[in-house]
Amino acid sequence: MKQSAPPALLPRLIRLRDVPYYLGMDKNRFNAEVRPHLIEIPIGDQGIAFDRIDLDAWVDDYKSRNGRP
């Protein structure tokens, strides 16, 4: 019997370099419009990450203010 692969896990913390891609925007727009509203989480000496749940909440809020019905 062949076992199936385990389901892919989404990381809870997303590194700064990956956040614009996750949100579907360029890094300049992220830095100007989104980053000021989020909590930065240090990783090691130089790394920065953001909580995926906070990112999703920002998108939900943005969508409720700017989306079309």
Side-chain angles (χ1 to χ4, degrees), residues 7 15 32 44 69:
R15 290 192 175 262

Side-chain angles (χ1 to χ4, degrees), residues 49-68:
F50 297 88
D51 189 323
R52 179 177 42 84
I53 292 173
D54 292 344
L55 295 168
D56 292 347
W58 182 88
V59 171
D60 290 341
D61 181 61
Y62 182 84
K63 188 172 79 172
S64 73
R65 290 182 286 113
N66 299 290
R68 296 183 201 166

Side-chain angles (χ1 to χ4, degrees), residues 3-69:
Q3 289 184 327
S4 60
L9 295 175
L10 292 176
R12 175 71 185 264
L13 298 179
I14 301 177
R15 290 192 175 262
L16 174 60
R17 69 176 178 258
D18 299 323
V19 172
Y21 176 77
Y22 179 77
L23 294 177
M25 62 179 61
D26 66 55
K27 67 178 181 176
N28 294 326
R29 181 171 299 265
F30 169 74
N31 285 329
E33 297 182 17
V34 183
R35 190 174 181 176
H37 303 283
L38 299 173
I39 297 170
E40 294 185 5
I41 303 163
I43 297 179
D45 291 334
Q46 298 180 359
I48 296 173
F50 297 88
D51 189 323
R52 179 177 42 84
I53 292 173
D54 292 344
L55 295 168
D56 292 347
W58 182 88
V59 171
D60 290 341
D61 181 61
Y62 182 84
K63 188 172 79 172
S64 73
R65 290 182 286 113
N66 299 290
R68 296 183 201 166

